[in-house]
Coordinates of all heavy atoms in Angstrom, one line a residue:
M290 N 112.4 75.0 123.1 CA 111.6 75.4 124.2 C 111.7 76.9 124.6 O 112.8 77.5 124.4 CB 111.9 74.6 125.4 CG 111.3 73.2 125.5 SD 109.5 73.2 125.4 CE 109.0 74.0 126.9
V291 N 110.7 77.4 125.1 CA 110.7 78.8 125.6 C 111.4 78.9 126.9 O 111.1 78.2 127.8 CB 109.3 79.4 125.6 CG1 109.3 80.8 126.1 CG2 108.6 79.3 124.3
S292 N 112.3 79.8 127.0 CA 113.0 80.0 128.3 C 112.1 80.6 129.3 O 111.3 81.5 129.0 CB 114.2 80.9 128.0 OG 114.7 81.4 129.2
P293 N 112.1 80.1 130.5 CA 111.2 80.7 131.5 C 111.6 82.1 132.0 O 110.7 82.8 132.4 CB 111.3 79.7 132.7 CG 112.7 79.1 132.5 CD 112.9 79.0 131.1
N294 N 112.8 82.5 131.8 CA 113.2 83.8 132.1 C 113.9 84.5 130.9 O 115.0 84.2 130.6 CB 114.2 83.8 133.3 CG 113.5 83.5 134.6 OD1 112.6 84.2 135.0 ND2 113.9 82.5 135.3
I295 N 113.2 85.5 130.4 CA 113.7 86.3 129.3 C 114.2 87.6 129.9 O 113.4 88.3 130.5 CB 112.6 86.5 128.2 CG1 112.2 85.1 127.6 CG2 113.2 87.3 127.1 CD1 110.9 85.1 126.8
R296 N 115.4 87.9 129.7 CA 116.0 89.0 130.3 C 116.2 90.2 129.4 O 116.1 91.4 129.9 CB 117.4 88.7 130.9 CG 117.3 88.1 132.2 CD 118.7 87.7 132.7 NE 118.7 86.4 133.4 CZ 119.7 85.8 133.9 NH1 120.9 86.5 134.0 NH2 119.6 84.7 134.5
Y297 N 116.5 90.0 128.2 CA 116.9 91.1 127.3 C 115.8 91.5 126.3 O 115.2 90.6 125.7 CB 118.2 90.8 126.7 CG 119.3 90.4 127.7 CD1 119.7 89.1 127.8 CD2 119.7 91.4 128.6 CE1 120.6 88.7 128.7 CE2 120.7 91.0 129.5 CZ 121.1 89.7 129.6 OH 122.0 89.3 130.5
G298 N 115.6 92.8 126.1 CA 114.7 93.3 125.1 C 113.3 93.6 125.6 O 112.7 92.7 126.1
A299 N 112.9 94.9 125.5 CA 111.6 95.3 126.0 C 110.5 94.6 125.2 O 109.5 94.2 125.8 CB 111.5 96.8 125.9
R300 N 110.7 94.4 123.9 CA 109.7 93.9 123.0 C 109.4 92.4 123.4 O 108.3 92.0 123.5 CB 110.3 93.9 121.6 CG 109.3 94.5 120.6 CD 109.8 94.3 119.2 NE 108.8 93.7 118.4 CZ 108.2 94.4 117.4 NH1 108.7 95.5 117.0 NH2 107.3 93.8 116.7
I301 N 110.5 91.7 123.6 CA 110.3 90.2 123.9 C 109.7 90.1 125.3 O 108.9 89.2 125.5 CB 111.6 89.5 123.7 CG1 111.3 88.0 123.5 CG2 112.6 89.7 124.9 CD1 112.4 87.2 122.7
R302 N 110.0 91.0 126.2 CA 109.4 90.9 127.6 C 107.9 91.2 127.5 O 107.1 90.5 128.2 CB 110.1 91.9 128.5 CG 111.4 91.3 129.2 CD 111.7 92.0 130.4 NE 111.8 93.5 130.2 CZ 113.0 94.1 129.9 NH1 114.1 93.4 129.8 NH2 113.0 95.4 129.8
K303 N 107.6 92.1 126.7 CA 106.2 92.5 126.5 C 105.4 91.3 125.9 O 104.3 91.0 126.3 CB 106.1 93.7 125.5 CG 104.8 94.5 125.6 CD 104.9 95.7 124.7 CE 103.5 96.2 124.4 NZ 103.5 97.2 123.4
R304 N 106.0 90.6 124.9 CA 105.4 89.5 124.3 C 105.2 88.3 125.3 O 104.2 87.7 125.4 CB 106.3 89.0 123.2 CG 105.6 87.9 122.3 CD 106.3 87.6 121.1 NE 106.4 88.8 120.2 CZ 107.0 88.8 119.0 NH1 107.7 87.8 118.6 NH2 107.0 89.9 118.3
Q305 N 106.2 88.2 126.2 CA 106.1 87.1 127.2 C 105.0 87.4 128.2 O 104.2 86.5 128.6 CB 107.4 87.0 128.0 CG 107.5 85.8 128.9 CD 108.6 85.8 129.9 OE1 109.0 86.9 130.3 NE2 109.0 84.7 130.3
R306 N 104.8 88.7 128.5 CA 103.7 89.1 129.4 C 102.3 88.7 128.7 O 101.4 88.2 129.3 CB 103.8 90.6 129.7 CG 103.1 90.9 130.9 CD 103.6 92.2 131.5 NE 103.6 93.3 130.6 CZ 104.7 94.1 130.4 NH1 105.8 93.9 131.0 NH2 104.6 95.1 129.5
A307 N 102.3 89.0 127.4 CA 101.0 88.7 126.7 C 100.7 87.2 126.7 O 99.6 86.8 126.8 CB 101.2 89.2 125.2
I308 N 101.7 86.4 126.5 CA 101.6 85.0 126.5 C 101.1 84.5 127.9 O 100.2 83.7 128.0 CB 102.9 84.2 126.1 CG1 103.2 84.6 124.6 CG2 102.8 82.7 126.3 CD1 104.6 84.3 124.3
K309 N 101.7 85.0 128.9 CA 101.3 84.6 130.3 C 99.8 85.0 130.6 O 99.1 84.3 131.2 CB 102.2 85.3 131.3 CG 103.5 84.5 131.5 CD 104.3 85.1 132.7 CE 105.5 84.2 133.0 NZ 106.4 84.9 133.9
Q310 N 99.5 86.2 130.1 CA 98.1 86.7 130.3 C 97.1 85.8 129.6 O 96.1 85.5 130.2 CB 98.1 88.2 129.7 CG 96.7 88.8 130.0 CD 96.4 89.0 131.5 OE1 97.3 89.3 132.3 NE2 95.2 88.8 131.8
Q311 N 97.3 85.5 128.4 CA 96.3 84.7 127.6 C 96.1 83.3 128.2 O 95.0 82.8 128.0 CB 96.7 84.6 126.1 CG 98.1 83.9 125.8 CD 98.1 82.4 125.9 OE1 97.1 81.8 125.9 NE2 99.3 81.9 126.0
K312 N 97.0 82.8 128.9 CA 96.8 81.5 129.5 C 95.7 81.5 130.6 O 95.1 80.4 130.9 CB 98.2 81.0 130.2 CG 99.1 80.4 129.1 CD 100.4 80.0 129.8 CE 101.3 79.4 128.8 NZ 102.7 79.2 129.3
I313 N 95.5 82.6 131.2 CA 94.5 82.7 132.3 C 93.2 83.4 131.8 O 92.2 83.4 132.5 CB 95.0 83.4 133.5 CG1 95.6 84.8 133.2 CG2 96.1 82.5 134.2 CD1 95.7 85.7 134.4
T314 N 93.2 83.9 130.6 CA 92.0 84.7 130.1 C 91.0 83.7 129.5 O 91.3 82.9 128.7 CB 92.5 85.8 129.1 OG1 93.5 86.5 129.7 CG2 91.3 86.7 128.8
V315 N 89.7 83.9 129.9 CA 88.6 83.1 129.3 C 87.7 84.1 128.7 O 87.4 85.2 129.2 CB 87.9 82.3 130.4 CG1 86.8 81.5 129.9 CG2 88.9 81.5 131.2
Y316 N 87.3 83.8 127.4 CA 86.4 84.7 126.7 C 85.0 84.1 126.6 O 84.8 82.9 126.8 CB 87.0 84.9 125.3 CG 88.3 85.7 125.3 CD1 89.5 85.0 125.4 CD2 88.3 87.1 125.2 CE1 90.7 85.7 125.4 CE2 89.4 87.8 125.2 CZ 90.6 87.1 125.3 OH 91.8 87.8 125.3
K317 N 84.1 85.0 126.3 CA 82.7 84.6 126.1 C 82.5 84.0 124.7 O 83.0 84.6 123.7 CB 81.8 85.9 126.3 CG 80.3 85.5 126.5 CD 79.5 86.8 126.7 CE 78.0 86.5 126.7 NZ 77.2 87.7 126.9
C318 N 81.8 82.9 124.7 CA 81.5 82.2 123.4 C 80.4 82.9 122.6 O 79.4 83.2 123.2 CB 81.1 80.8 123.7 SG 80.7 79.8 122.2
E319 N 80.7 83.2 121.4 CA 79.7 83.9 120.5 C 78.5 83.0 120.1 O 77.5 83.4 119.7 CB 80.4 84.4 119.2 CG 81.2 85.6 119.5 CD 81.9 86.1 118.2 OE1 81.3 86.0 117.1 OE2 83.0 86.6 118.3
S320 N 78.8 81.7 120.3 CA 77.8 80.7 119.8 C 76.8 80.4 121.0 O 75.6 80.3 120.8 CB 78.5 79.5 119.3 OG 77.7 78.4 119.3
C321 N 77.3 80.1 122.2 CA 76.4 79.7 123.3 C 76.3 80.7 124.4 O 75.5 80.6 125.3 CB 76.8 78.3 123.9 SG 78.4 78.4 124.7
G322 N 77.2 81.8 124.3 CA 77.1 82.9 125.3 C 77.8 82.6 126.7 O 77.7 83.4 127.5
V323 N 78.3 81.4 126.8 CA 78.9 81.0 128.1 C 80.4 81.5 128.1 O 81.1 81.4 127.1 CB 78.8 79.5 128.3 CG1 79.6 79.1 129.6 CG2 77.4 79.1 128.4
L324 N 80.9 81.9 129.3 CA 82.3 82.3 129.4 C 83.1 81.1 129.5 O 83.5 80.6 130.6 CB 82.4 83.2 130.7 CG 83.5 84.2 130.7 CD1 83.2 85.3 129.7 CD2 83.6 84.8 132.1
A325 N 83.5 80.5 128.4 CA 84.2 79.2 128.4 C 85.2 79.1 127.2 O 85.7 78.0 127.0 CB 83.2 78.1 128.4
V326 N 85.5 80.2 126.5 CA 86.4 80.1 125.4 C 87.9 80.3 125.9 O 88.2 81.3 126.5 CB 86.1 81.1 124.3 CG1 87.1 81.0 123.1 CG2 84.7 80.8 123.8
R327 N 88.7 79.2 125.7 CA 90.1 79.3 126.1 C 91.0 79.0 124.9 O 90.5 78.4 123.9 CB 90.3 78.2 127.1 CG 89.9 78.5 128.5 CD 90.0 77.2 129.3 NE 89.3 77.4 130.6 CZ 89.9 78.0 131.7 NH1 91.2 78.4 131.6 NH2 89.3 78.1 132.8
R328 N 92.2 79.4 125.0 CA 93.2 79.2 123.9 C 93.5 77.8 123.8 O 93.9 77.1 124.8 CB 94.4 80.1 124.2 CG 95.4 80.2 123.1 CD 96.5 81.1 123.6 NE 97.5 81.3 122.5 CZ 98.6 80.5 122.4 NH1 98.8 79.5 123.2 NH2 99.5 80.8 121.4
A329 N 93.4 77.2 122.6 CA 93.7 75.8 122.4 C 95.0 75.6 121.7 O 95.6 74.5 121.6 CB 92.5 75.2 121.6
G330 N 95.5 76.7 121.1 CA 96.7 76.7 120.3 C 96.9 78.1 119.8 O 96.1 78.9 120.0
T331 N 98.0 78.3 119.0 CA 98.3 79.6 118.4 C 97.1 79.9 117.5 O 96.8 79.2 116.6 CB 99.6 79.6 117.7 OG1 100.6 79.1 118.5 CG2 99.9 81.0 117.1
S332 N 96.4 81.0 117.8 CA 95.3 81.6 117.1 C 94.1 80.7 117.1 O 93.1 80.9 116.4 CB 95.7 81.8 115.6 OG 96.7 82.8 115.5
I333 N 94.1 79.6 117.9 CA 92.9 78.7 118.0 C 92.3 78.9 119.3 O 92.9 78.7 120.4 CB 93.3 77.2 117.7 CG1 94.0 77.1 116.3 CG2 92.1 76.3 117.8 CD1 94.8 75.8 116.2
W334 N 91.0 79.2 119.3 CA 90.2 79.4 120.6 C 89.1 78.4 120.6 O 88.3 78.3 119.6 CB 89.8 80.8 120.6 CG 91.0 81.8 120.7 CD1 91.7 82.2 119.6 CD2 91.6 82.3 121.8 NE1 92.7 83.0 120.0 CE2 92.7 83.1 121.4 CE3 91.3 82.2 123.2 CZ2 93.5 83.7 122.3 CZ3 92.1 82.9 124.1 CH2 93.2 83.6 123.6
E335 N 88.9 77.7 121.7 CA 87.9 76.7 121.7 C 87.0 76.9 122.9 O 87.4 77.1 124.0 CB 88.5 75.3 121.8 CG 87.6 74.2 121.6 CD 88.2 72.8 121.7 OE1 89.4 72.7 122.0 OE2 87.5 71.8 121.4
C336 N 85.6 76.7 122.7 CA 84.7 76.8 123.8 C 84.6 75.5 124.5 O 84.3 74.5 123.9 CB 83.3 77.2 123.2 SG 82.0 77.3 124.5
R337 N 84.8 75.5 125.8 CA 84.8 74.3 126.6 C 83.4 73.9 126.9 O 83.1 72.8 127.4 CB 85.5 74.5 127.9 CG 87.0 74.8 127.7 CD 87.8 73.7 127.3 NE 89.1 74.1 126.8 CZ 90.2 74.1 127.5 NH1 90.2 73.7 128.7 NH2 91.3 74.5 126.9
H338 N 82.4 74.7 126.5 CA 81.0 74.4 126.8 C 80.3 73.8 125.7 O 79.7 72.7 125.8 CB 80.3 75.7 127.2 CG 78.9 75.5 127.7 ND1 78.5 75.0 128.9 CD2 77.7 75.7 127.0 CE1 77.2 74.9 129.0 NE2 76.7 75.3 127.8
C339 N 80.4 74.4 124.5 CA 79.7 73.8 123.3 C 80.6 73.3 122.2 O 80.2 72.7 121.3 CB 78.8 74.9 122.7 SG 79.6 76.2 121.9
G340 N 81.9 73.5 122.4 CA 82.9 72.9 121.5 C 83.2 73.8 120.3 O 83.9 73.3 119.4
A341 N 82.6 75.0 120.2 CA 82.8 75.9 119.1 C 84.3 76.3 119.0 O 84.9 76.5 120.0 CB 82.0 77.1 119.2
V342 N 84.8 76.3 117.8 CA 86.3 76.7 117.6 C 86.3 78.0 116.8 O 85.7 78.1 115.8 CB 87.0 75.5 116.9 CG1 88.5 75.9 116.7 CG2 87.0 74.2 117.8
Y343 N 87.1 78.9 117.3 CA 87.3 80.2 116.7 C 88.7 80.4 116.3 O 89.6 79.9 116.9 CB 86.9 81.3 117.6 CG 85.5 81.2 118.1 CD1 85.2 80.6 119.4 CD2 84.4 81.7 117.4 CE1 83.9 80.5 119.8 CE2 83.1 81.6 117.8 CZ 82.8 81.0 119.0 OH 81.6 80.9 119.5
A344 N 88.9 81.1 115.2 CA 90.2 81.6 114.7 C 90.3 83.0 115.2 O 89.5 83.8 114.9 CB 90.3 81.5 113.2
G345 N 91.3 83.2 116.1 CA 91.5 84.6 116.6 C 93.0 85.0 116.5 O 93.7 84.5 115.6
G346 N 93.4 85.9 117.4 CA 94.8 86.3 117.4 C 95.6 85.2 118.1 O 95.1 84.3 118.7
A347 N 96.9 85.3 118.0 CA 97.8 84.3 118.6 C 97.7 84.3 120.1 O 97.7 83.3 120.7 CB 99.2 84.6 118.1
Y348 N 97.6 85.5 120.7 CA 97.6 85.6 122.2 C 96.3 86.2 122.7 O 96.1 86.2 123.9 CB 98.8 86.3 122.6 CG 100.1 85.8 122.1 CD1 100.9 86.5 121.3 CD2 100.4 84.4 122.3 CE1 102.1 86.0 120.8 CE2 101.5 83.9 121.8 CZ 102.4 84.7 121.0 OH 103.5 84.1 120.5
T349 N 95.5 86.8 121.9 CA 94.2 87.3 122.3 C 93.1 86.8 121.4 O 93.4 86.4 120.3 CB 94.2 88.9 122.3 OG1 94.6 89.3 121.0 CG2 95.2 89.4 123.4
M350 N 91.9 86.8 121.9 CA 90.7 86.3 121.1 C 90.5 87.1 119.9 O 90.2 86.5 118.8 CB 89.5 86.4 122.0 CG 88.2 85.9 121.4 SD 88.2 84.1 121.1 CE 86.7 83.9 120.2
T351 N 90.6 88.4 119.9 CA 90.4 89.2 118.7 C 91.6 90.1 118.6 O 92.3 90.5 119.5 CB 89.1 90.1 118.8 OG1 89.2 90.9 120.0 CG2 87.9 89.2 118.8
T352 N 91.8 90.5 117.3 CA 92.9 91.5 117.0 C 92.3 92.7 116.3 O 91.2 92.6 115.8 CB 94.0 90.9 116.1 OG1 93.4 90.5 114.9 CG2 94.6 89.6 116.8
S353 N 93.0 93.8 116.3 CA 92.5 95.0 115.6 C 92.3 94.7 114.1 O 91.4 95.2 113.5 CB 93.4 96.2 115.8 OG 94.8 95.8 115.5
A354 N 93.2 93.9 113.6 CA 93.1 93.5 112.1 C 91.9 92.7 111.9 O 91.2 92.8 110.9 CB 94.4 92.8 111.7
G355 N 91.6 91.8 112.9 CA 90.4 90.9 112.8 C 89.1 91.7 112.8 O 88.2 91.4 112.1
D356 N 89.1 92.8 113.7 CA 87.9 93.6 113.8 C 87.6 94.4 112.5 O 86.5 94.5 112.1 CB 88.1 94.6 115.0 CG 88.0 93.9 116.3 OD1 87.5 92.8 116.4 OD2 88.5 94.5 117.3
I357 N 88.7 94.8 111.9 CA 88.6 95.5 110.6 C 88.0 94.6 109.5 O 87.1 94.9 108.8 CB 89.9 96.2 110.1 CG1 90.3 97.3 111.1 CG2 89.8 96.7 108.7 CD1 91.8 97.7 111.0
A358 N 88.5 93.4 109.5 CA 88.0 92.4 108.5 C 86.6 92.0 108.8 O 85.8 91.9 107.8 CB 88.9 91.1 108.7
K359 N 86.2 91.9 110.0 CA 84.8 91.6 110.4 C 83.8 92.7 109.9 O 82.8 92.5 109.3 CB 84.6 91.5 111.9 CG 84.4 90.1 112.4 CD 84.1 90.1 113.9 CE 84.6 88.8 114.5 NZ 84.7 88.9 115.9
R360 N 84.3 94.0 110.1 CA 83.5 95.2 109.6 C 83.3 95.1 108.1 O 82.2 95.4 107.6 CB 84.2 96.5 110.1 CG 83.7 97.0 111.4 CD 83.9 98.4 111.6 NE 85.4 98.8 111.6 CZ 86.2 98.7 112.6 NH1 85.7 98.3 113.8 NH2 87.4 99.0 112.5
Q361 N 84.4 94.8 107.4 CA 84.4 94.8 106.0 C 83.4 93.7 105.4 O 82.7 93.9 104.5 CB 85.8 94.6 105.4 CG 86.6 95.9 105.5 CD 88.0 95.7 105.1 OE1 88.5 94.6 105.1 NE2 88.7 96.8 104.7
I362 N 83.5 92.5 106.1 CA 82.6 91.4 105.7 C 81.1 91.8 105.9 O 80.3 91.6 105.1 CB 82.9 90.1 106.5 CG1 84.3 89.6 106.1 CG2 81.9 89.0 106.3 CD1 85.0 88.6 107.0
K363 N 80.8 92.5 107.0 CA 79.5 92.9 107.3 C 79.0 93.9 106.3 O 77.9 93.8 105.8 CB 79.5 93.6 108.7 CG 78.5 93.1 109.7 CD 78.5 93.9 110.9 CE 78.1 93.0 112.1 NZ 78.3 93.7 113.4
A364 N 79.9 94.9 105.9 CA 79.5 95.8 104.9 C 79.3 95.2 103.5 O 78.4 95.6 102.8 CB 80.7 96.9 104.7
M365 N 80.0 94.1 103.2 CA 79.8 93.4 101.9 C 78.5 92.7 101.9 O 77.8 92.7 100.9 CB 81.0 92.4 101.7 CG 82.2 93.1 101.2 SD 83.5 91.9 100.6 CE 83.8 90.8 102.0
H366 N 78.1 92.2 103.0 CA 76.8 91.5 103.1 C 75.7 92.5 102.9 O 74.6 92.1 102.3 CB 76.7 90.7 104.4 CG 77.4 89.4 104.4 ND1 77.0 88.3 103.7 CD2 78.5 89.0 105.1 CE1 77.8 87.3 103.9 NE2 78.7 87.7 104.7
K367 N 75.8 93.6 103.5 CA 74.8 94.7 103.4 C 74.6 95.1 102.0 O 73.5 95.3 101.5 CB 75.2 95.9 104.3 CG 74.2 96.3 105.3 CD 74.6 97.5 106.1 CE 74.8 97.2 107.5 NZ 75.4 98.3 108.3
N368 N 75.7 95.2 101.2 CA 75.6 95.7 99.8 C 75.2 94.6 98.8 O 74.8 95.0 97.7 CB 77.0 96.3 99.4 CG 77.4 97.5 100.3 OD1 76.5 98.2 100.8 ND2 78.7 97.7 100.4
A369 N 75.3 93.4 99.2 CA 75.0 92.3 98.3 C 73.5 92.2 98.1 O 72.7 92.5 98.9 CB 75.5 91.0 98.8
Ligands
LIG449 ZN1 80.1 77.9 123.3

């Protein structure tokens, strides 16, 4: 279990803050446009409105690495 009070290490405190933040953050669904996407598990994001499931970051909907991958996929489609 995760300890409710983490005392040592700036890195781990930062991570704990990120985890607490994601629990209350709701994202806009790319499929239906409704602000109803919540974290369903690590890297799993689910729209409570239409049921769409997204693979994202562990604690945030998108990651910088994910954005780069998206851009590359878009570029590949353009060239095909
Ligand atoms: Zn949706």
Side-chain angles (χ1 to χ4, degrees):
M290 275 308 290
V291 177
S292 165
N294 285 303
I295 298 165
R296 274 179 223 184
Y297 307 109
R300 228 189 133 117
I301 202 155
R302 276 202 304 268
K303 202 177 162 188
R304 188 170 296 176
Q305 189 195 27
R306 203 158 52 229
I308 293 163
K309 278 188 174 169
Q310 183 64 38
Q311 58 79 18
K312 279 181 178 166
I313 55 159
T314 308
V315 183
Y316 293 91
K317 194 176 172 182
C318 178
E319 282 179 35
S320 161
C321 69
V323 174
L324 207 69
V326 178
R327 283 172 190 273
R328 190 177 182 269
T331 305
S332 300
I333 301 161
W334 298 82
E335 191 178 8
C336 176
R337 300 288 163 96
H338 184 76
C339 70
V342 177
Y343 302 97
Y348 307 121
T349 54
M350 180 70 187
T351 55
T352 61
S353 51
D356 288 340
I357 293 163
K359 249 185 212 170
R360 269 201 297 277
Q361 283 173 339
I362 291 162
K363 234 184 212 172
M365 281 194 300
H366 280 291
K367 234 181 243 171
N368 297 334

